[in-house]
Structure formats: C-alpha cells, structure tokens
Amino acid sequence: MLLALYGKFLSDRNAMDRLEEYFSTKSLKNKEFIILLIDEVDQLVTGKQSLLYRVLNWAAQPISKLVLLTVANTMDLPERFFTYKNCSRFGLTRLSFMPYTNSQLHTIISNRLSSSNIFKKEAIQLCSQMIGSSTGDARTALDICRMAVDHVSRDSGVLNSGSTEKLVGLDLIQEIITCTFRIPVVEILHASSFHMRMFLYCVYYETRASENEAARFGKVKKRHIQNCLVHSIADVSDTIIQAVCSRLARARFIIIEGFQEGDSMKIRLNVDAFYIEKAIKTDADIQTSLL
C-alpha cells in the first residue's frame, strides 16, 4: 500500500508509521478514497493482533478515507480475536457466503471439464459429493480433478494422443481424495505424541458435547485425565497438560482465546472437525478408549 501511495519501499516499522500518519492526518480531506482488499485475512492473525488492530483502526478514523474489505475463512473472525468493545467501535459489516453444495460443485466441475472427455460421470459425482459433504471448497474439488488429469497424463500419455477413452473413474478419484485429506493434518497428528493427540481429541469432544465453539480448559483437562486413566496413565500433572496445550497452540492446532487463565481459559479448535474425526477413526492407539 505504501508503494502505491508514495512510490517507494520502507522498513516495516517506518512503513506502518508513515501509513498511520497518512490515515490520521486532517489533510486527507482533499485526497481520494482508497479501497484496500485483504484476502485470507486469517493469515494476519498474531498473538497480540497488533497488525490487524492497526489496519482496522485506520479505517475507523472519523477522517479516514480508507475502505477496508477483508475475506476470511471463518464468519466470526472479529469475535474470536477482538473484544466486544473493539468490534463495536470498528463498525464492521459482515457478508456471509455459505460453502458450495453438492449440486453446485457438480455444476462447477462439469463446466470446467466441458472441453475434456476423460472423466466418467460417476467420477465427477463422487468428487462433488465428497467435497460438498466435507469442506464445500470449489478449489479443493478442482484441484482433485487437476491431479487426476496429471495422473492420467503422466502414466499413459493418452491426453497427448487425442484419445476419447474415459480414463478417470471412481477408483482414481477416491484414491486422490483419500491422499488429499490424509496429508498433512492427519499425518501430523498421528506423528504427534500421545498427550498431544489425546488433548486435541478431548477439545474436539468437549466442544461437540457442550455445543459451543470454545471449550473451557478445566473441562478439557478433566476429560484428558479420564482418558489417560483408561490407558493406565495415572500421573498426569497440570504442568504436563498446560505444556501440551501450549505446544498445540504454537502449532496452530488450537487457539487460546482472551486473557483468562487457569481452568476458565477458553480453547477453540483451529483445525477443521473433518480432519479431527478422520484422525480419531484412524488412530489405533486411542479411538477405542475415548470418553
């Protein structure tokens, strides 16, 4: 943004100070409006939220001529990371877009593949149904189709020969979807320590049981200890559980909300529930003992 306004680069700190001055000075009255679009704003989330707070504050200034448009993967991003006082002061206007349905994904994939004749109808149907029932992300569905084309092209070279044979069927799509959803989240979880996996699963079950998006640390800790007893692990101290919680937060598997400490601390999953469920189903060490 600084490059567009001033035509030069500055260090991060100097750039922020210059932009702060630009959007807070009264001389803005004679300047044009600036529309700033930030995609994947979730990636700007930090521990203290200093970057997001400053950018939002520029747009909230009474004399500011900055119009801020942000795109996030979660509908409640402001409530997650800012206090109610800050959210109300920013005057946010929200427009929610629902994930694509099975039929919508089927239409999108069919239109994209209209010039290709190597996909069987049932393969497109399977892809749209499985992605529609999990994430509803059109990019994921199209990536799976692209990987299927790459697989066929690499293995047979038929695409270059102009053949009309339909090569992408149910088996290939199923194989690619399985690999896509196995990597990297589920694989990382399976490679993690017993306590890290157990704690994360307990956060998932506690949020599902309470029907809240955030779980209290005290309840998760209690559930964790109960499940450890099933595995004959009796000596689980608060220090161990707190260390596990901190490691999961640093790895971005969970988000610790607000400023509360101890058992009242709120914990929110930062991983799609689909991946947690898949990890539990394929975790031979834990799945039969979860409470």
Side-chain angles (χ1 to χ4, degrees):
M1 191 184 345
L2 187 73
L3 181 63
L5 293 175
Y6 292 100
K8 60 181 179 180
F9 288 101
L10 292 176
S11 65
D12 292 346
R13 177 173 296 182
N14 291 334
M16 292 293 285
D17 291 341
R18 182 67 66 89
L19 290 171
E20 186 83 36
E21 179 183 357
Y22 182 93
F23 290 114
S24 60
T25 180
K26 294 182 179 179
S27 61
L28 276 173
K29 293 181 179 180
N30 300 323
K31 296 180 180 179
E32 297 180 346
F33 277 92
I34 296 174
I35 300 177
L36 176 62
L37 173 62
I38 304 178
D39 194 9
E40 300 287 351
V41 70
D42 317 61
Q43 303 301 318
L44 297 181
V45 171
T46 59
K48 296 182 179 180
Q49 316 309 342
S50 57
L51 177 58
L52 271 180
Y53 184 88
R54 292 187 72 172
V55 174
L56 290 170
N57 196 49
W58 294 340
Q61 294 293 328
I63 59 174
S64 174
K65 288 192 174 183
L66 174 65
V67 178
L68 186 61
L69 304 176
T70 63
V71 181
N73 293 320
T74 54
M75 293 185 293
D76 59 344
L77 184 69
E79 289 79 8
R80 286 193 183 192
F81 302 109
F82 296 105
T83 63
Y84 174 77
K85 180 180 179 180
N86 287 336
C87 287
S88 60
R89 184 167 66 84
F90 289 143
L92 302 174
T93 301
R94 192 183 344 248
L95 181 62
S96 301
F97 296 90
M98 299 303 294
Y100 288 109
T101 63
N102 297 358
S103 59
Q104 290 172 331
L105 286 173
H106 188 276
T107 301
I108 292 171
I109 297 172
S110 298
N111 288 339
R112 287 293 186 94
L113 298 176
S114 58
S115 59
S116 174
N117 55 7
I118 67 169
F119 280 79
K120 295 181 179 179
K121 291 183 178 180
E122 55 267 29
I124 298 177
Q125 188 69 31
L126 176 64
C127 182
S128 59
Q129 286 180 349
M130 295 196 69
I131 302 303
S133 62
S134 56
T135 63
D137 186 2
R139 289 177 298 182
T140 302
L142 293 174
D143 283 342
I144 288 171
C145 294
R146 177 186 54 78
M147 286 186 282
V149 172
D150 291 343
H151 178 87
V152 171
S153 177
R154 182 179 63 252
D155 289 356
S156 62
V158 174
L159 296 182
N160 297 326
S161 67
S163 172
T164 59
E165 182 182 358
K166 296 185 182 298
L167 300 174
V168 179
L170 293 175
D171 292 342
L172 180 56
I173 291 295
Q174 180 67 61
E175 179 184 350
I176 294 174
I177 289 176
T178 300
C179 293
T180 299
F181 287 128
R182 187 182 64 213
I183 302 173
V185 176
V186 177
E187 291 293 320
I188 293 174
L189 284 176
H190 286 173
S192 301
S193 69
F194 172 86
H195 282 296
M196 288 185 67
R197 292 176 359 245
M198 179 64 77
F199 189 89
L200 189 65
Y201 299 161
C202 289
V203 173
Y204 165 76
Y205 276 110
E206 189 59 40
T207 54
R208 193 176 69 170
S210 61
E211 297 184 351
N212 293 321
E213 292 191 358
R216 296 286 183 181
F217 176 77
K219 292 186 176 181
V220 176
K221 179 177 66 174
K222 181 179 179 180
R223 186 183 289 267
H224 183 93
I225 293 173
Q226 290 174 341
N227 280 285
C228 285
L229 289 174
V230 176
H231 287 79
S232 301
I233 304 174
D235 188 17
V236 183
S237 64
D238 286 359
T239 303
I240 293 176
I241 298 179
Q242 288 171 358
V244 169
C245 181
S246 297
R247 289 186 63 187
L248 287 169
R250 288 196 299 270
R252 307 294 293 170
F253 280 106
I254 61 174
I255 294 173
I256 299 175
E257 293 186 341
F259 303 98
Q260 293 176 313
E261 296 181 354
D263 290 352
S264 298
M265 181 173 62
K266 289 185 177 181
I267 303 171
R268 185 190 299 270
L269 284 174
N270 196 34
V271 180
D272 194 292
F274 172 83
Y275 298 109
I276 303 294
E277 292 167 0
K278 188 169 183 63
I280 293 173
K281 291 178 181 178
T282 54
D283 195 327
D285 297 332
I286 291 179
Q287 63 174 340
T288 58
S289 64
L290 282 171
L291 300 176

